[in-house]
């Protein structure tokens, strides 16, 4: 039985995001995400100005008159939402937790997809696959996706993005538009680099393979306290993914500076990783309205496709 407060959240997200999609994002979504290419529609008689390469020589030979093949864009897409539900997502110091923001972003992307008659699928993961919902169309299906994004209780605490991408490749037969919503922390992210490049080479390999088969977009979700430590005295910090605890004296300005420096280096490695595999990235923060980040992404991608 889903608690009433969760049902209220689902309803609020449905109203907010569907209005946003109708007013703003639907047109931009369609302009930057194309179908699988061109599919054959019909043949018609040749007209002056038609491409010679489009002539259907078999039909032309049978009829004695030149005919050309007509193609139309195959618009329908499959959009897969890969949602990181590891323990580090249950953190937030501004308006909402990163996990709540991620669920709302899933809603915006899902409503944009079904408004354009695309199918939506869902993979929730931690250090294992927590939930898989095959891609389908329709409002009731999208509401189910939002419900799972908000209400699913993960079994794992750690992060394994590579395993989620490998699972995506196993359960999808065709090319998809795949959004990976994660902070990219943990042993399966970029937090513990394995090479001098500053990022996890195993993750790079998985992203590269997935992005060659699919159109993969990383949606990175960050809270400001993950790169800016406040001066609030001695505090206890806990690594959510391995339960290790630390006492930290935040009055130490050198410590705060080092914390900021290390965090910025990790975020820089994250961007470097995405660039290395030619993958798009949308940076989202809990203290900044996500509409701005989505707008910037759509505009940049639209300009690049012209």
């Amino acid at each position: 039985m889903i608690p009433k407060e969760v049902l209220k959240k689902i309803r609020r997200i449905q109203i907010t995001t569907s209005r946003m999609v109708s007013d703003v994002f639907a047109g931009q979504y369609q302009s930057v995400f194309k179908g699988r290419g061109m599919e054959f529609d019909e043949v018609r008689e040749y007209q002056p100005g038609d491409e010679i390469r489009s002539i259907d020589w078999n039909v032309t030979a049978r009829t004695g008159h030149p005919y050309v093949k007509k193609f139309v864009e195959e618009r329908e897409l499959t959009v897969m939402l890969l949602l990181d539900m590891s323990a580090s997502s249950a953190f937030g110091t501004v308006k909402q937790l990163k996990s709540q923001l991620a669920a709302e972003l899933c809603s915006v992307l899902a409503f944009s997809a079904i408004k354009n008659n695309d199918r939506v699928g869902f993979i929730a993961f931690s250090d294992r696959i927590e939930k898989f919902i095959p891609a389908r169309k329709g409002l009731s299906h999208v509401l189910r996706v939002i419900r799972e994004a908000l209400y699913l209780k993960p079994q794992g605490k750690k992060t394994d993005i590579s395993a989620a991408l490998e699972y995506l490749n196993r359960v999808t037969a065709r090319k998809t538009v795949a959004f990976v919503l994660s902070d990219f922390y943990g042993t399966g992210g970029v937090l513990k680099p394995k090479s001098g490049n500053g990022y996890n080479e195993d993750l790079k390999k998985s992203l590269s393979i997935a992005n060659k088969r699919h159109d993969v977009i990383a949606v990175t979700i960050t809270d400001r306290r993950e790169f800016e430590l406040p001066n609030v005295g001695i505090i206890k910090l806990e690594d959510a993914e391995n339960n290790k605890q630390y006492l930290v004296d935040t009055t130490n300005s050198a410590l705060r500076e080092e914390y900021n420096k290390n965090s910025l280096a990790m975020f820089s490695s994250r961007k470097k990783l995405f660039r290395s595999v030619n993958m798009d990235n949308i940076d989202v923060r809990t203290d900044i309205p996500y509409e701005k980040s989505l707008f910037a992404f759509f505009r940049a991608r639209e300009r690049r496709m012209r």
Side-chain angles (χ1 to χ4, degrees), residues 64-232:
H65 299 283
Y67 276 77
V68 295
K69 294 178 181 178
K70 181 182 176 185
F71 294 84
V72 295
E73 183 184 4
E74 190 179 4
R75 174 53 236 173
E76 182 178 301
L77 293 172
T78 296
V79 175
M80 293 298 299
L81 304 173
L82 282 69
L83 178 61
D84 180 359
M85 303 194 84
S86 61
S88 63
S89 66
F91 178 77
T93 63
V94 188
K95 294 181 179 180
Q96 56 188 337
L97 300 179
K98 290 190 291 183
S99 58
Q100 294 170 332
L101 175 57
E104 193 159 332
L105 286 165
C106 281
S107 178
V108 171
L109 296 169
F111 276 116
S112 295
I114 65 166
K115 189 173 181 64
N116 284 278
N117 203 37
D118 294 336
R119 303 189 308 155
V120 180
F122 179 72
I123 299 173
F125 69 94
S126 55
D127 54 1
R128 65 198 74 181
I129 301 303
E130 300 284 354
K131 187 79 175 183
F132 169 57
I133 301 177
R136 292 191 180 89
K137 301 179 183 180
L139 176 60
S140 61
H141 175 72
V142 166
L143 291 177
R144 182 190 174 197
V145 168
I146 298 171
R147 182 190 70 201
E148 296 293 351
L150 280 171
Y151 189 58
L152 182 65
K153 304 298 181 186
Q155 299 299 308
K157 284 190 172 184
K158 297 182 180 181
T159 309
D160 195 338
I161 298 171
S162 295
L165 293 170
E166 290 166 8
Y167 187 80
L168 169 70
N169 288 332
R170 288 200 303 271
V171 298
T172 53
R174 293 181 172 181
K175 180 177 180 178
T176 71
V177 177
F179 292 92
V180 183
L181 298 98
S182 174
D183 54 19
F184 286 80
Y185 293 166
T187 54
V190 296
L191 189 59
K192 295 183 179 179
K194 297 183 180 179
S195 77
N197 291 323
Y199 49 73
N200 187 324
E201 286 289 345
D202 292 340
L203 178 58
K204 175 184 175 180
K205 182 179 179 182
S206 297
L207 288 170
S208 178
I209 292 171
N211 199 39
K212 287 176 181 176
R213 181 173 177 183
H214 306 283
D215 183 0
V216 182
I217 299 108
V219 184
T220 53
I221 302 174
T222 308
D223 186 88
R224 70 177 183 181
R225 292 306 178 203
E226 291 170 336
F227 58 86
E228 178 186 287
L229 198 61
N231 184 352
V232 290

Side-chain angles (χ1 to χ4, degrees), residues 23-52:
D23 294 345
V24 180
F25 292 126
Q28 289 185 313
Y29 169 94
Q30 187 173 20
S31 66
V32 300
F33 295 121
K34 302 296 184 182
R36 289 193 292 269
M38 305 300 288
E39 65 173 359
F40 174 74
D41 183 36
E42 61 181 6
V43 294
R44 62 168 174 78
E45 286 196 55
Y46 175 86
Q47 297 176 2
D50 285 340
E51 283 277 351
I52 300 296

